[in-house]
Amino acid sequence: MNASMEIQHPKILEIMACLSGYLYGKDLALKLALITCCSRGHLLIEDLPGLGKTVLALSIARVLGLTFGRIQCTSDLLPTDITGLSIYNKNTAEFEFRPGPVFNHIVLVDEINRATPKTQSALLEAMGEKQTTIEGKTYLHPQPFFVIATQNPVEHFGTFPLPESQMDRFMMQIRIGYPSGDEEKEILKQGSSRRELDRIDPLVSRDEVVEMHRRINTEVHVSEKILGYILDIVAASRHHPYIRAGISTRGALAVTASARTYAFFCGRDFVIPEDIRELAPFTLPHRLLIKEEYESLDRKELVQSILDTVKVPA
């Protein structure tokens, strides 16, 4: 990675330094999670149980100083367990809405694919439009609003695959992976860090997060050449012989937004092609619908092949 691709924003460096003590060897996952959050996107973490998915989500919530809600998905979870419901108040003789955990700044949806498709659908409007409609009335979510969902591989018992419409609402899909031998030894020495997360002091405020969103959107320039490059990648995915459905317009917006944030983190006020190529393995593969006869292909390798065929602007 060249100098222009290294994180230089002092506050982001401070956050990463703080959390690296709780997330041994997870610097890449942490960086991608912060990029997603500051891009006003949502993050899907897919990996085997016990590799630190929940610790990553909890630590980010603590350090950003935002309200936090947690949804533990099970097969009997109901949509109202997520959104909330109206309860009759006999003193006022009226129904009062009691908001569910989704009405927080940061929402951890743990093991999302253990919930049934009907329950999963309760998150679609919230993730796409930052609002939820209940009994004909629309409630806006607090800003910023960031969903971090974890899921076990779909082959595991008792899981339901996420529909394509929901996958497309996640800006990034990442994996944490096994730690190295030395990192795992250090984890064993220190023990579980889950309880220590409560002692993390917020390093930024809500207003600072909102201001960072504003600066990224207004101060980081995306040139016509870069927009053309993104559209060329999108078009190549839509016309690829192995792909049934390529990158959507929502996906193109996610690529642009995450590249802006990455450039901002790196101390630049403009996006370069390397920003897009660096993030492509995490912003694009989960959006592709592969033709049935090519389902065994690795999606990341397919994305890389698309990048290799699209001309990089000078």
Side-chain angles (χ1 to χ4, degrees), residues 290-299 301:
I290 311 299
K291 292 181 179 178
E292 187 175 349
E293 58 268 35
Y294 302 114
E295 272 292 339
S296 61
L297 291 176
D298 185 285
R299 281 172 166 74
E301 292 182 1

Side-chain angles (χ1 to χ4, degrees), residues 21 34 42-44 47 59 66 85 115 120 129 140 148 157 159 193 250-251 254 276 282 288 291 294 303 308 311:
L34 291 172
H42 307 293
L43 179 68
L44 177 62
D47 224 322
S59 63
L66 300 172
L85 72 166
Q120 290 179 18
E129 302 171 45
L140 297 178
I148 304 177
F157 180 77
T159 58
S193 61
R250 184 190 288 119
I276 297 160
F282 313 102
L288 303 178
K291 292 181 179 178
Y294 302 114
V303 166
D308 292 341
K311 184 179 179 180

Side-chain angles (χ1 to χ4, degrees), residues 224-238 252 310:
E224 291 291 328
K225 287 185 177 181
I226 295 296
L227 290 175
Y229 181 53
I230 294 172
L231 291 174
D232 287 344
I233 294 172
V234 169
S237 73
R238 293 174 181 174
V310 175

Side-chain angles (χ1 to χ4, degrees), residues 54-285:
T54 305
V55 171
L56 174 63
L58 287 171
S59 63
I60 290 176
R62 296 283 189 271
V63 81
L64 294 182
L66 300 172
T67 63
F68 176 72
R70 178 171 181 171
I71 302 165
Q72 182 62 55
C73 293
T74 58
S75 59
D76 58 352
L77 187 75
L78 299 175
T80 51
D81 295 329
I82 295 174
T83 62
L85 72 166
S86 295
I87 298 177
Y88 183 74
N89 186 331
K90 64 180 181 179
N91 294 324
T92 62
E94 293 180 349
F95 282 92
E96 296 179 354
F97 176 64
R98 303 289 178 87
V102 76
F103 287 95
N104 282 282
H105 291 117
I106 296 181
V107 181
L108 170 61
V109 186
D110 214 0
E111 297 186 303
I112 185 173
N113 57 339
R114 290 197 180 277
T116 61
K118 180 179 180 180
T119 301
Q120 290 179 18
S121 68
L123 288 165
L124 289 177
E125 183 183 11
M127 294 175 64
E129 302 171 45
K130 309 293 193 297
Q131 65 181 35
T132 297
T133 302
I134 303 168
E135 298 173 353
K137 186 174 181 179
T138 298
Y139 301 87
L140 297 178
H141 289 266
Q143 297 301 317
F145 176 67
F146 178 37
V147 172
I148 304 177
T150 71
Q151 74 167 356
N152 298 327
V154 293
E155 310 85 54
H156 279 215
F157 180 77
T159 58
F160 301 87
L162 271 63
E164 291 82 2
S165 59
Q166 190 161 14
M167 290 294 291
D168 200 41
R169 281 169 167 79
F170 287 104
M171 178 170 282
M172 290 192 196
Q173 179 181 12
I174 68 173
R175 293 176 181 270
I176 291 180
Y178 290 111
S180 67
D182 290 340
E183 291 164 349
E184 196 157 21
K185 181 185 291 184
E186 189 64 29
I187 293 172
L188 295 178
K189 287 180 179 179
Q190 300 294 331
S192 174
S193 61
R194 183 75 63 88
R195 292 190 176 183
E196 296 179 12
L197 297 179
D198 293 332
R199 297 202 295 268
I200 297 178
D201 293 323
L203 296 180
V204 294
S205 66
R206 174 199 171 278
D207 290 343
E208 287 178 295
V209 175
V210 171
E211 174 63 13
M212 191 177 295
H213 288 165
R214 187 198 65 78
R215 292 188 61 193
I216 290 169
N217 288 331
T218 60
E219 297 179 9
V220 180
H221 177 64
V222 183
S223 68
E224 291 291 328
K225 287 185 177 181
I226 295 296
L227 290 175
Y229 181 53
I230 294 172
L231 291 174
D232 287 344
I233 294 172
V234 169
S237 73
R238 293 174 181 174
H239 296 97
H240 197 284
Y242 296 170
I243 298 175
R244 176 161 50 92
I247 301 165
S248 66
T249 302
R250 184 190 288 119
L253 288 169
V255 171
T256 307
S258 60
R260 280 182 190 270
T261 302
Y262 194 20
F264 183 80
F265 282 10
C266 294
R268 287 182 274 106
D269 62 357
F270 57 91
V271 173
I272 58 177
E274 286 76 7
D275 295 327
I276 297 160
R277 296 178 66 88
E278 186 86 6
L279 298 178
F282 313 102
T283 57
L284 299 182

